Amino acid sequence: MTREPAPLRGAAAIYVYAVILVGGAALTHSLWDLSRLPFQPLWLMLAGLTVGTGWITLRIPSTGISFSISDTFNIAAAVLFGPSAGAITAALDGLVLTSKVRFTRRTAYRPLFNIAVSAIAIWLAAHVFLTLAGGAPLLDGRWAPVRLVGLLAVFAAVNYIVNTGLVAAAVSFERRTPALPLWREHFQGLWVTHFGGVFAVIPLLLLERLQPSIGALNLLVLLVPLPAILYTTFRHAVGRVQDHVAHLGQVNRVYVAVIEALAQAVDAKDEVTHDHIRRVQMHAIRLAHALGVHEEDQLQAIMAASLLHDVGKLSVPEHILNKPGKLTPAEFEIMKRHAPAGADILSVVGFPYPVVPIVRHHHENWDGTGYPDRIAGEQIPIGARILSVVDCFDALTSDRPYRPRLDDRAALQIIVDRRGTMYDPRVVDAFLEMRQADAEDLARGASTQRAESAVPAAPATTRDREMLDLHVFCDLGRSLAAAASVADLGSAVWCHLQSRIPASTMVLYVYDPASDELVAIHAAGDEAGHLQDVRMKIGERLSGWVAAARESIVNSDARLDLDEQARERSTLQAALAVPMEADDRCVGVLSFYSPQSGTFDDAHRRLAQAAGDSVAPSIVSLSSPSSPVRLPRGTRDRLETVQ
């Protein structure tokens, strides 16, 4: 079950419908203009080739990248026959592409917007091209080749900027994020396809000049093989790219495995900071986005360094690391070595992003009094400045052998007192704003819960709650008995428990022995789209750990179950996951997710576990006999908890 996108509102709606209106006006004028011109067989050929090749889309597996060669022909139509012909041909191309995309009544504006953007971009680019070309023939004169290449470059630039700019602005309005960083991240690299498509029309220009002597039929014979040649060439290119993508995926998995192994090693040794590194990672990435850090290599470096910033503690003796009291000056000098030691350990890994500088300098101070190198101000990497603030706050609000945890207000006051001396003032200000926003969200959630608890129908006692749960399970049992598929089981659980467990999203994962993975068979709720058809190895992520250890998790970070792209868009915070077992075999995991941290309690866990125990036998009966497999008991002893 995928949540349908919300309708456009406010500035986003005004902008999108304005672009659609302008595009419609340009196409209306183009149709009227073409009706007054003599019939052009070559333009009809180009329009036909545009439509035909638009259906042939090449997609690079394992990526979201797809392209077609139809751009070459609608660009040729604009260059050879003017803005009107180009706009109509581009609209036809857009119509073909949008016909492959599913949309609903709420999203009907999207294909219209895409068609309008393509038409406007080509129309403007062709006008600029013809204005600069003037009345002189493009292929005449001594400097004709240079002049032609220059004019085509201008055409490509205008088409590229207008096309990507209009789309980036629409996404910016919809997501309420700055347009320029978004354009740089998602659209800057598309210049290659825009310029490549433009310069591919040079042979068509030559053919058009020769047309009077060779005839339209012969010209068609020359044109038809062109898309086949281009398609074959691009297909071989896609194959090569696919090999590179697969190789990069393998390399990335190695890096992730190294990160996880080292992080678990630190967790195992430094017993008092259990789960500290994962909280630091989550808040560090949020703070980086708040500070406008959008470069992918920087974000990847911060994510890795957040997990590995204390890896140097492997070199610190345990009697110092876990000493239940204040360190002596000599012991503190030994403790300070963990920053450069961690950098030395990680330097041999060869990370493709700047992890080592962040780990080395995450204890440097803004005024230059930190360690190990006593650098100051902007000399300290931005990732290290972010990490130092987040790391300090999480340490202050966690129990330590030498002191109990501080409350958030006292911890924030310490951060403020160190602003401008230990910590970058800009980072501190952004962190305070982020914490204030979190507090307001929590207050709104608490207010909503208080309002709901005031409803007379709510149970007033534990006994009332247990009786209500009993009625819920009676109804759930009847629904499970009538289920015809495993997906129906998930639907029944969500239907009966969404009013009893404060979750916005639920996923029923079933174990697939063929791939040794959990598979999301049924996802329901607000963010089901982020978790639909998710697959995860046993022992990986949050629900994968639950399946391997066969132990429940309450209020862990929900985004651990999401991929990297979905984490950036998701609002999920807390997760409740319980294993489902039948005949001492793991058959799946039942996971609930909430946008508020600390949502679930032990009563919710017991309710979810009871539901999982009820569903497990039905999964066995509705699946193939070999689906549930026995997981070794030793697995749970070898894994580190992510709770």
Side-chain angles (χ1 to χ4, degrees), residues 22 34 50 65 68 110 182 213 308 365 397 411 435 464 524 531 539 565 568 579 587 595 635:
V22 172
L34 284 180
T50 298
I65 302 173
S68 73
R110 293 185 177 181
L182 189 147
S213 60
L308 300 175
N365 292 339
T397 54
R435 296 299 304 179
D464 292 335
L531 292 153
Q565 294 180 347
E568 297 178 2
V587 297
T635 303

Side-chain angles (χ1 to χ4, degrees), residues 423-436:
Y423 305 133
D424 180 352
R426 190 168 67 96
V427 175
V428 171
D429 293 344
F431 182 73
L432 293 176
E433 291 179 5
M434 188 176 78
R435 296 299 304 179
Q436 179 64 29

Side-chain angles (χ1 to χ4, degrees), residues 595-617:
Q596 297 176 7
S597 58
T599 299
F600 306 108
D601 57 25
D602 192 58
H604 298 137
R605 181 195 62 78
R606 292 195 302 270
L607 188 60
Q609 188 63 69
D613 294 341
S614 299
V615 172

Side-chain angles (χ1 to χ4, degrees), residues 51-69:
V51 173
T53 55
W55 287 102
I56 307 173
T57 301
L58 291 175
R59 179 177 295 276
I60 301 176
S62 303
T63 73
I65 302 173
S66 62
F67 57 87
S68 73
I69 58 176

Side-chain angles (χ1 to χ4, degrees), residues 161-429:
I161 293 172
V162 174
N163 200 317
T164 58
L166 290 174
V167 176
V171 177
S172 174
F173 277 120
E174 189 171 10
R175 295 184 182 177
R176 298 181 181 179
T177 57
L180 187 57
L182 189 147
W183 180 86
R184 287 175 177 169
E185 180 180 358
H186 297 285
F187 299 98
Q188 188 172 5
L190 297 180
W191 69 270
V192 176
T193 57
H194 282 80
F195 280 81
V198 166
F199 288 112
V201 308
I202 292 179
L204 293 177
L205 289 172
L206 295 173
L207 288 173
E208 194 272 340
R209 295 291 292 175
L210 295 173
Q211 180 185 356
S213 60
I214 65 175
L217 182 60
N218 291 330
L219 182 61
L220 179 62
V221 173
L222 292 172
L223 281 176
V224 168
L226 183 59
I229 295 172
L230 290 174
Y231 179 83
T232 303
T233 303
F234 286 166
R235 187 170 184 177
H236 285 297
V238 166
R240 291 193 297 270
V241 171
Q242 182 181 356
D243 292 339
H244 287 299
V245 169
H247 175 68
L248 290 175
Q250 293 174 350
V251 172
N252 187 63
R253 284 192 291 272
V254 171
Y255 282 124
V256 171
V258 170
I259 291 172
E260 293 293 337
L262 290 174
Q264 289 182 12
V266 176
D267 250 358
K269 185 174 184 180
D270 192 1
E271 60 189 36
V272 300
T273 59
H274 200 69
D275 202 33
H276 161 71
I277 55 177
R278 297 195 181 277
R279 293 193 302 270
V280 169
Q281 182 191 53
M282 178 184 68
H283 294 304
I285 291 299
R286 291 181 59 202
L287 185 55
H289 284 295
L291 288 164
V293 178
H294 299 289
E295 295 80 3
E296 187 63 25
D297 62 333
Q298 282 289 346
L299 293 175
Q300 291 290 340
I302 293 172
M303 289 181 66
S306 298
L307 291 177
L308 300 175
H309 65 281
D310 282 337
V311 70
K313 289 182 178 179
L314 293 171
S315 65
V316 179
E318 289 190 23
H319 72 277
I320 295 177
L321 191 63
N322 295 316
K323 181 180 179 180
K326 187 175 181 179
L327 299 179
T328 66
E331 290 171 336
F332 184 61
E333 288 299 318
I334 295 175
M335 178 66 80
K336 286 164 60 175
R337 298 175 189 171
H338 83 274
D344 292 341
I345 291 172
L346 299 178
S347 63
V348 301
V349 177
F351 288 98
Y353 24 81
V355 177
V356 174
I358 298 177
V359 173
R360 181 177 182 85
H361 299 301
H362 75 281
H363 281 294
E364 303 285 2
N365 292 339
W366 182 252
D367 61 2
T369 61
Y371 63 88
D373 299 324
R374 300 179 68 85
I375 59 177
E378 299 288 341
Q379 291 179 303
I380 307 171
I382 182 62
R385 283 178 269 152
I386 291 171
L387 192 58
S388 62
V389 172
V390 175
D391 187 27
C392 175
F393 178 80
D394 192 84
L396 291 173
T397 54
S398 302
D399 289 325
R400 288 291 185 264
Y402 49 88
R403 58 149 177 83
R405 71 181 68 184
L406 301 179
D407 60 41
D408 286 4
R409 178 172 296 184
L412 288 174
Q413 186 59 53
I414 292 175
I415 298 292
V416 171
D417 293 342
R418 296 174 178 178
R419 180 184 183 275
T421 54
M422 291 183 67
Y423 305 133
D424 180 352
R426 190 168 67 96
V427 175
V428 171
D429 293 344

Side-chain angles (χ1 to χ4, degrees), residues 487-509:
D488 289 344
L489 299 176
S491 180
V493 171
W494 179 244
C495 178
H496 291 286
L497 295 190
Q498 60 178 319
S499 62
R500 306 296 305 129
I501 296 180
S504 64
T505 306
M506 185 212 80
V507 178
L508 173 64
Y509 298 97

Side-chain angles (χ1 to χ4, degrees), residues 518-535:
L518 285 181
V519 182
I521 297 298
H522 181 81
D526 292 346
E527 297 201 27
H530 292 156
L531 292 153
Q532 192 73 40
D533 300 326
V534 164
R535 303 180 73 95

